[in-house]
Amino acid sequence: MSRSRRGAEALELALTLPLLLIQVSGLIDFGWVYYQQSRLHDAVRFGARAGAVTLQKNNPLGRATLATTEHLTAVGVPFTPTITSAFVTDGTGDQVVQVHAEAPYVGLWNLVGAPYALTAPVALRNEEQPLPPRPRS
């Protein structure tokens, strides 16, 4: 191989390697954001379920918030979210336990963009209310 050809290959590598590394770093950072969003949503769903099956007299909203926090601690997320729980009435008149969490994005290299907030809203029907009567046929 000639000397000029080796120099051309080195130049091509020097020009393309930084672009490739930026793309790979961005892909890893995006995967990290997706992972954190998934962990947050799982914890909120877990908390909403805990609140939905807790009896009214046992503070279901407090149980939902506590279960969400415990689940986030168990999976070891690197952020502390703001968690809100509330009873709302959906379009069918059913009472729903709604849990919403919001947390700041904690990035590896912050290539995704800052500031970025992770949010996870979940609403589940309260299990304590009676089921509607079934139509007779």
Side-chain angles (χ1 to χ4, degrees):
M1 187 181 297
S2 70
R3 187 173 159 188
S4 64
R5 182 68 187 144
R6 283 185 299 201
E9 290 171 353
L11 181 62
E12 288 173 4
L13 180 66
L15 292 175
T16 58
L17 188 61
L19 296 174
L20 179 65
L21 290 177
I22 289 172
Q23 286 179 338
V24 168
S25 298
L27 187 62
I28 291 170
D29 206 32
F30 178 77
W32 181 244
V33 170
Y34 188 78
Y35 172 76
Q36 288 183 42
Q37 177 68 41
S38 176
R39 296 297 96 198
L40 181 64
H41 192 269
D42 287 347
V44 170
R45 186 178 56 227
F46 185 80
R49 177 70 182 145
V53 299
T54 302
L55 297 176
Q56 292 286 343
K57 63 181 179 178
N58 294 335
N59 188 13
L61 297 181
R63 179 66 191 129
T65 303
L66 181 64
T68 301
T69 304
E70 287 173 349
H71 191 74
L72 286 170
T73 303
V75 296
V77 294
F79 51 77
T80 304
T82 303
I83 303 168
T84 57
S85 302
F87 283 121
V88 295
T89 303
D90 66 1
T92 62
D94 289 338
Q95 192 177 38
V96 175
V97 176
Q98 184 176 14
V99 180
H100 182 271
E102 186 169 320
Y105 160 64
V106 179
L108 296 174
W109 301 291
N110 292 327
L111 296 176
V112 173
Y116 183 79
L118 304 172
T119 60
V122 174
L124 293 177
R125 183 179 183 276
N126 187 359
E127 300 280 326
E128 188 177 357
Q129 54 193 328
L131 292 173
R134 293 199 295 189
R136 297 179 186 237
S137 46

